[in-house]
Amino acid sequence: AEDARALAEQYRELELERLPQLDHMRIRLRGSGPRLGVELVRTTPELRTHLGAPEDHGVLVGKVLPGSAAEKAGIKVGDVLTTVDGAEVSSAGGILEALADKSGQGVDIELVRDGKGMKVRADLPKLEEDEATGPRAYHVPVPRVPAI
């Protein structure tokens, strides 16, 4: 769990230094801990506010993987995840950190859907002993769509 926390901290430092240079990025969250099963889209304070979420934190769900803990909990594309187990999240790194030591446990997730706050509980899968536990948060640039 300490390795996962250290990885999450390194990710946050990288995110602060490098990632703001990239305008649009999709983040596929497959952390070193239990998997929630979502792909996330980086947001701006303005987008979060428009979606009804707090301006200073929240991560937009771009895809929910079939059969995942997120799907079973009722998380949907377009939801803005704001807290995971009581910790405010504003990046994939924040979610990785919140899930780092939760293998086989349930986590409470607060989210905003259609401008309304709600809570769900996701039961995370237990990591198997032989399952790879190395870093698995991938950044896949999404082509920028020209403004109309």
Side-chain angles (χ1 to χ4, degrees):
E2 287 182 24
D3 289 340
R5 285 190 184 98
L7 177 64
E9 182 61 33
Q10 290 173 353
Y11 176 83
R12 268 198 310 277
E13 290 172 12
L14 174 67
E15 188 172 45
L16 292 174
E17 293 173 18
R18 299 258 190 187
L19 295 183
Q21 299 167 6
L22 302 173
D23 288 327
H24 298 280
M25 174 157 301
R26 179 180 287 185
I27 301 169
R28 182 171 184 163
L29 181 61
R30 296 180 59 198
S32 57
R35 297 187 189 117
L36 185 56
V38 293
E39 287 186 8
L40 305 172
V41 179
R42 286 183 57 88
T43 60
T44 63
E46 295 82 7
L47 179 57
R48 287 190 292 268
T49 301
H50 177 76
L51 295 171
E55 183 178 328
D56 62 341
H57 65 280
V59 187
L60 179 63
V61 175
K63 182 176 182 177
V64 178
L65 301 178
S68 67
E71 181 184 57
K72 292 173 185 172
I75 295 172
K76 299 182 182 292
V77 171
D79 288 349
V80 180
L81 308 183
T82 57
T83 69
V84 175
D85 243 17
E88 291 182 353
V89 293
S90 57
S91 67
I95 294 177
L96 286 172
E97 185 174 336
L99 299 178
D101 58 354
K102 306 291 187 206
S103 177
Q105 300 177 32
V107 293
D108 294 316
I109 298 172
E110 292 182 30
L111 57 89
V112 175
R113 177 182 298 155
D114 299 324
K116 297 177 185 156
M118 59 185 296
K119 295 180 183 180
V120 298
R121 184 159 181 88
D123 295 318
L124 301 175
K126 183 165 178 62
L127 288 177
E128 299 298 324
E129 288 292 322
D130 62 346
E131 187 173 351
T133 58
R136 285 181 237 133
Y138 299 97
H139 300 284
V140 181
V142 176
R144 187 178 188 131
V145 178
I148 299 176

